[in-house]
Amino acid sequence: MYNPAPEVGNVPERKKYASRKETPWDNMERTAMQEFIRSNYVDDWDDRHLRLRQTNEADLINSIVPSSCPYCHSETIIRKGMNSNHIQRYFCKQCNRFFVPTTGTIFDEHKISIREWISYSLNILRYVSITADSWNNKNDFKTSRYWLQKLFAVLEPYQAGIILSGKVTLDETFYTLRSGDIELNPDGTKPRGLSMNKMCIGVACDAQNIYCAYEGQGKPSQKSTLAVFKDHIAPGSTLIHDEEKAHKKLVTTLNLVSESYNSKDLKLLDDKKNPLRRVNEVHARLKDFLNAHPSFIRDELPGYLNVFAFAMNPPHNKLEKMEVLLNLAFQNRQIIRYRDFYQAKSKVVDDF
């Protein structure tokens, strides 16, 4: 019969956002079994959280040669030694300030290696929730939430340059608000149908790319559909869609060839014969992606849609996709400080 080891000390109650490196047996006398479990756990944590000097990150950062000062934008800059992490320093003769290639980017003064951010981003693109990623990679949940904001910032302009052409399939899908945000009927019941308590997401795709955007709450209008898609569908393209009236102004404004189908007839068709099959498949994947973060803050939906579009569009090889993402990150002149981000948030919402 197995007899558990006697308790050697008081086990502190775990804090909700305690460091993932902490164990119940830190700073106390441990049994042999406790020491074995703890040492293996800590070793695994250390392997996943290498210090900058333990990676080849310096070679990556030093390969990026800035053309101007991130502070005053002057081009009168010179190399000026290395910092403690062997990163090339630069000096601006105009404003007399030092900087490195990551200054002014999301990696400005980063403490955790870029390789961890790559691993994190890959998980998000695979529909892993930030809670699950936090546990899998032994990161504080607040760190995972903070990194998500960095990912949002990098991909904020991503869909701006997407222009669909040829045969373009378009349709809307709907996603509910969080339960606490839903406006109930006077009798306390939830509204039925396409009420203002559902978020409308417009999705369009051609043979290669997809574009998706938030259209507002409730049913789409001709005005909202035009505003969302007018700069992302090439004029003269063929628009494959249902007979939704909201598409009418878009068709006429862009001189699109309209190929429309009755939604009731489409429901009777086999999926393989449905002319809206491609966009329906995108809808299904989008729901899977959002369902991985069911309690996400709905105001952040545009950020999630940018991430989803990036995940769906070429290149499809995940490593090639990371190359694109890193290039976007180094080009994006936006700083998000950990402290500033959490001071701006009144609370952190878990996405179980």
XYZ file of all heavy atoms in Angstrom, residues 174-230:
432
model
N -22.160 35.257 -37.629
C -22.473 36.002 -36.412
C -21.887 35.307 -35.190
O -21.816 34.082 -35.125
C -23.989 36.148 -36.259
C -24.614 36.943 -37.364
C -24.985 36.338 -38.555
C -24.798 38.311 -37.226
C -25.538 37.068 -39.592
C -25.360 39.052 -38.260
C -25.722 38.434 -39.442
N -21.458 36.123 -34.243
C -20.877 35.596 -33.002
C -21.511 36.342 -31.837
O -21.682 37.572 -31.895
C -19.360 35.784 -32.989
C -18.636 34.827 -32.070
C -18.394 33.516 -32.455
C -18.202 35.228 -30.808
C -17.731 32.624 -31.619
C -17.540 34.354 -29.968
C -17.304 33.047 -30.378
O -16.651 32.174 -29.548
N -21.855 35.600 -30.793
C -22.588 36.215 -29.683
C -21.681 37.047 -28.789
O -20.470 36.815 -28.702
C -23.271 35.143 -28.818
O -22.264 34.251 -28.313
C -24.285 34.365 -29.628
N -22.284 37.991 -28.126
C -21.586 38.763 -27.103
C -21.343 37.879 -25.881
O -21.970 36.824 -25.725
C -22.410 39.986 -26.690
C -22.659 41.056 -27.757
C -23.602 42.110 -27.205
C -21.358 41.692 -28.205
N -20.476 38.311 -24.996
C -20.314 37.602 -23.724
C -21.606 37.747 -22.924
O -22.320 38.743 -23.045
C -19.134 38.180 -22.944
C -17.794 37.904 -23.599
C -16.661 38.248 -22.677
N -16.674 39.637 -22.280
C -15.863 40.168 -21.360
N -15.017 39.399 -20.724
N -15.934 41.439 -21.062
N -21.891 36.764 -22.112
C -23.164 36.742 -21.393
C -23.397 38.018 -20.588
O -24.517 38.525 -20.514
C -23.233 35.516 -20.467
O -22.152 35.514 -19.554
N -22.346 38.564 -20.005
C -22.501 39.776 -19.200
C -22.755 41.026 -20.016
O -23.173 42.055 -19.482
N -22.504 40.951 -21.341
C -22.695 42.115 -22.209
C -24.031 42.088 -22.950
O -24.380 43.044 -23.628
C -21.570 42.180 -23.250
C -20.198 42.355 -22.614
O -20.145 42.938 -21.518
O -19.200 41.907 -23.206
N -24.769 40.979 -22.838
C -26.023 40.837 -23.578
C -27.138 41.640 -22.918
O -27.357 41.549 -21.716
C -26.428 39.353 -23.676
C -25.428 38.586 -24.551
C -27.839 39.208 -24.231
C -25.724 37.107 -24.665
N -27.828 42.434 -23.716
C -28.983 43.193 -23.231
C -30.214 42.293 -23.288
O -30.648 41.881 -24.360
C -29.183 44.445 -24.086
C -28.032 45.448 -23.979
C -28.308 46.702 -24.782
O -29.465 46.861 -25.231
O -27.388 47.511 -24.958
N -30.759 41.983 -22.133
C -31.901 41.066 -22.053
C -33.221 41.771 -22.350
O -33.323 42.998 -22.261
C -31.951 40.442 -20.655
C -30.716 39.658 -20.196
C -30.908 39.157 -18.779
C -30.417 38.498 -21.144
N -34.214 40.978 -22.707
C -35.566 41.501 -22.887
C -36.131 41.906 -21.530
O -35.608 41.500 -20.479
C -36.466 40.429 -23.522
C -36.053 40.106 -24.949
O -35.688 41.001 -25.709
N -36.127 38.831 -25.304
N -37.195 42.725 -21.518
C -37.791 43.135 -20.247
C -38.185 41.974 -19.340
O -38.158 42.098 -18.119
C -39.036 43.930 -20.685
C -38.656 44.477 -22.031
C -37.840 43.397 -22.667
N -38.494 40.813 -19.944
C -38.890 39.654 -19.131
C -37.686 38.816 -18.691
O -37.839 37.753 -18.101
C -39.888 38.783 -19.889
C -39.304 38.227 -21.184
O -38.136 38.555 -21.496
O -40.005 37.471 -21.876
N -36.463 39.297 -19.022
C -35.260 38.603 -18.582
C -34.732 37.564 -19.546
O -33.694 36.947 -19.295
N -35.432 37.336 -20.662
C -34.979 36.357 -21.648
C -34.027 37.014 -22.653
O -34.020 38.240 -22.816
C -36.168 35.753 -22.403
O -36.876 36.817 -23.082
C -37.101 35.050 -21.444
N -33.234 36.166 -23.320
C -32.312 36.680 -24.329
C -33.059 36.926 -25.642
O -33.946 36.150 -26.006
C -31.181 35.672 -24.569
C -30.247 35.501 -23.383
C -29.132 34.523 -23.725
C -28.184 34.348 -22.540
N -27.069 33.403 -22.859
N -32.711 37.994 -26.358
C -33.356 38.252 -27.658
C -33.073 37.112 -28.631
O -32.018 36.484 -28.581
C -32.689 39.552 -28.128
C -32.156 40.179 -26.882
C -31.760 39.035 -25.998
N -34.005 36.836 -29.503
C -33.841 35.766 -30.487
C -33.562 36.363 -31.854
O -33.802 37.541 -32.115
C -35.097 34.898 -30.528
C -35.429 34.255 -29.193
C -36.703 33.431 -29.273
N -36.549 32.287 -30.173
C -37.519 31.417 -30.439
N -38.703 31.567 -29.886
N -37.306 30.414 -31.261
N -33.031 35.541 -32.760
C -32.759 36.000 -34.116
C -31.494 36.849 -34.177
O -30.665 36.839 -33.274
N -31.347 37.605 -35.271
C -30.157 38.436 -35.482
C -30.329 39.765 -34.754
O -30.489 40.823 -35.358
C -29.929 38.653 -36.978
C -29.653 37.378 -37.780
C -29.453 37.697 -39.247
C -28.446 36.649 -37.227
N -30.296 39.689 -33.440
C -30.510 40.872 -32.617
C -29.231 41.690 -32.522
O -28.174 41.319 -33.019
C -30.945 40.454 -31.215
O -29.855 39.824 -30.544
N -29.321 42.806 -31.833
C -28.154 43.653 -31.600
C -27.182 43.020 -30.621
O -26.140 43.581 -30.323
C -28.611 45.024 -31.087
C -29.345 45.857 -32.123
S -28.323 46.234 -33.573
C -27.168 47.405 -32.842
N -27.521 41.868 -30.110
C -26.624 41.168 -29.191
C -25.750 40.144 -29.910
O -25.095 39.324 -29.287
C -27.424 40.479 -28.081
C -28.013 41.490 -27.122
O -27.348 42.452 -26.759
N -29.258 41.297 -26.743
N -25.758 40.188 -31.234
C -24.861 39.352 -32.021
C -23.954 40.240 -32.864
O -24.386 41.252 -33.407
C -25.656 38.399 -32.927
C -26.370 37.286 -32.161
C -27.037 36.321 -33.123
C -27.751 35.199 -32.368
N -26.780 34.304 -31.722
N -22.692 39.844 -32.967
C -21.725 40.609 -33.747
C -21.670 40.052 -35.164
O -21.529 38.852 -35.360
C -20.336 40.528 -33.100
C -20.286 41.089 -31.689
S -18.633 40.989 -30.968
C -18.397 39.203 -30.916
N -21.782 40.922 -36.137
C -21.751 40.532 -37.539
C -20.318 40.628 -38.065
O -19.670 41.679 -37.960
C -22.674 41.438 -38.354
S -22.647 41.083 -40.129
N -19.840 39.528 -38.633
C -18.485 39.477 -39.195
C -18.613 39.188 -40.683
O -19.142 38.147 -41.086
C -17.635 38.379 -38.530
C -17.563 38.617 -37.014
C -16.235 38.346 -39.133
C -16.947 37.456 -36.250
N -18.159 40.113 -41.507
C -18.182 39.916 -42.945
C -16.929 39.189 -43.393
O -15.820 39.554 -42.994
N -17.095 38.155 -44.212
C -15.958 37.370 -44.697
C -16.043 37.252 -46.210
O -17.103 36.915 -46.762
C -15.948 35.948 -44.082
C -14.787 35.126 -44.648
C -15.856 36.019 -42.562
N -14.930 37.535 -46.873
C -14.850 37.378 -48.323
C -13.559 36.656 -48.663
O -12.554 36.802 -47.958
C -14.902 38.734 -49.020
N -13.562 35.866 -49.718
C -12.349 35.142 -50.101
C -12.327 34.904 -51.602
O -13.371 34.758 -52.242
C -12.270 33.815 -49.350
S -13.779 32.823 -49.368
N -11.110 34.896 -52.168
C -10.935 34.484 -53.551
C -10.186 33.160 -53.542
O -10.177 32.457 -52.522
C -10.225 35.570 -54.370
C -8.843 35.940 -53.831
O -8.312 35.179 -52.982
O -8.289 36.967 -54.266
N -9.520 32.819 -54.607
C -8.855 31.520 -54.681
C -7.655 31.422 -53.748
O -7.242 30.317 -53.367
C -8.415 31.244 -56.116
N -7.086 32.575 -53.339
C -5.856 32.568 -52.547
C -6.029 33.090 -51.131
O -5.542 32.494 -50.174
C -4.771 33.409 -53.264
C -4.362 32.884 -54.624
C -3.669 31.540 -54.545
O -2.940 31.267 -53.593
N -3.895 30.690 -55.543
N -6.702 34.220 -50.990
C -6.727 34.940 -49.715
C -8.131 35.098 -49.155
O -9.125 34.940 -49.868
C -6.101 36.330 -49.888
C -4.641 36.267 -50.249
O -3.808 35.892 -49.439
N -4.318 36.628 -51.490
N -8.162 35.433 -47.867
C -9.424 35.803 -47.235
C -9.288 37.191 -46.640
O -8.173 37.661 -46.350
C -9.849 34.808 -46.128
C -8.990 35.003 -44.875
C -9.770 33.380 -46.606
C -9.610 34.450 -43.626
N -10.405 37.850 -46.491
C -10.465 39.134 -45.786
C -11.684 39.079 -44.880
O -12.774 38.666 -45.314
C -10.599 40.295 -46.772
C -10.816 41.629 -46.078
C -9.753 42.332 -45.524
C -12.099 42.165 -45.935
C -9.947 43.534 -44.863
C -12.307 43.366 -45.282
C -11.222 44.041 -44.752
O -11.424 45.225 -44.086
N -11.516 39.444 -43.623
C -12.660 39.425 -42.704
C -12.623 40.662 -41.815
O -11.546 41.140 -41.437
C -12.664 38.156 -41.855
S -11.133 37.797 -40.983
N -13.789 41.171 -41.502
C -13.868 42.397 -40.706
C -15.183 42.455 -39.954
O -16.191 41.868 -40.365
C -13.724 43.627 -41.602
N -15.159 43.175 -38.854
C -16.348 43.370 -38.025
C -17.240 44.417 -38.676
O -16.791 45.516 -39.010
C -15.904 43.824 -36.637
C -17.029 44.187 -35.689
C -18.072 43.316 -35.443
C -17.006 45.412 -35.013
C -19.090 43.639 -34.557
C -18.020 45.749 -34.123
C -19.057 44.863 -33.901
O -20.053 45.194 -33.021
N -18.514 44.078 -38.859
C -19.454 45.001 -39.506
C -20.370 45.709 -38.523
O -21.129 46.593 -38.904
C -20.304 44.257 -40.542
C -19.549 43.856 -41.799
C -20.490 43.562 -42.964
O -21.359 44.400 -43.263
O -20.354 42.481 -43.556
N -20.347 45.313 -37.254
C -21.226 45.921 -36.269
C -22.143 44.869 -35.664
O -22.042 43.684 -35.963
N -23.048 45.310 -34.804
C -23.971 44.387 -34.157
C -25.277 44.306 -34.940
O -25.771 45.294 -35.472
C -24.234 44.831 -32.717
C -23.010 44.674 -31.821
C -23.246 45.114 -30.389
O -22.346 45.574 -29.716
N -24.467 44.967 -29.911
N -25.835 43.090 -34.977
C -27.080 42.877 -35.700
C -26.866 42.675 -37.188
O -25.738 42.457 -37.652
N -27.919 42.746 -37.962
C -27.843 42.506 -39.401
C -26.999 43.567 -40.101
O -27.016 44.730 -39.715
C -29.251 42.495 -40.009
C -30.058 41.240 -39.707
C -31.417 41.274 -40.387
C -31.315 41.269 -41.892
N -30.718 40.016 -42.411
N -26.290 43.169 -41.168
C -25.491 44.152 -41.904
C -26.387 45.058 -42.738
O -27.517 44.692 -43.084
C -24.615 43.269 -42.800
C -25.451 42.052 -43.044
C -26.191 41.816 -41.741
N -25.893 46.224 -43.070
C -26.621 47.154 -43.926
C -25.805 47.369 -45.199
O -24.636 46.993 -45.286
C -26.810 48.497 -43.211
O -25.549 49.120 -42.980
N -26.428 47.986 -46.196
C -25.696 48.285 -47.428
C -24.520 49.216 -47.132
O -23.436 49.074 -47.712
C -26.635 48.926 -48.452
C -27.707 47.982 -48.987
C -28.428 48.546 -50.188
O -27.814 49.136 -51.074
N -29.752 48.375 -50.240
N -24.732 50.134 -46.214
C -23.681 51.090 -45.864
C -22.502 50.397 -45.177
O -21.340 50.644 -45.522
C -24.262 52.167 -44.935
C -23.261 53.239 -44.546
C -23.919 54.300 -43.666
C -22.915 55.380 -43.261
N -23.552 56.417 -42.394
N -22.797 49.517 -44.218
C -21.713 48.847 -43.487
C -20.958 47.878 -44.382
O -19.728 47.780 -44.314
C -22.271 48.111 -42.268
O -23.086 47.013 -42.644
N -21.665 47.154 -45.248
C -21.009 46.204 -46.145
C -20.108 46.925 -47.136
O -18.984 46.488 -47.412
C -22.058 45.370 -46.901
O -22.860 44.663 -45.949
C -21.394 44.378 -47.834
N -20.584 48.042 -47.663
C -19.771 48.826 -48.594
C -18.525 49.359 -47.904
O -17.419 49.289 -48.447
C -20.592 49.978 -49.170
C -19.845 50.898 -50.150
C -19.451 50.126 -51.402
C -20.707 52.105 -50.528
N -18.689 49.885 -46.702
C -17.553 50.447 -45.971
C -16.487 49.395 -45.685
O -15.287 49.667 -45.766
C -18.045 51.073 -44.666
N -16.925 48.173 -45.361
C -15.991 47.110 -45.002
C -15.247 46.554 -46.209
O -14.041 46.294 -46.147
C -16.738 45.977 -44.263
C -15.888 44.704 -44.212
C -17.081 46.422 -42.843
N -15.936 46.393 -47.355
C -15.348 45.652 -48.474
C -14.941 46.491 -49.690
O -14.262 45.976 -50.576
C -16.332 44.571 -48.943
C -16.519 43.461 -47.958
C -17.690 43.365 -47.212
C -15.525 42.517 -47.751
C -17.869 42.330 -46.302
C -15.693 41.486 -46.845
C -16.864 41.392 -46.114
N -15.301 47.769 -49.752
C -15.083 48.536 -50.985
C -13.608 48.650 -51.371
O -13.276 48.747 -52.561
C -15.698 49.937 -50.862
C -15.079 50.834 -49.822
C -15.797 52.171 -49.749
C -15.224 53.070 -48.661
N -13.834 53.480 -48.946
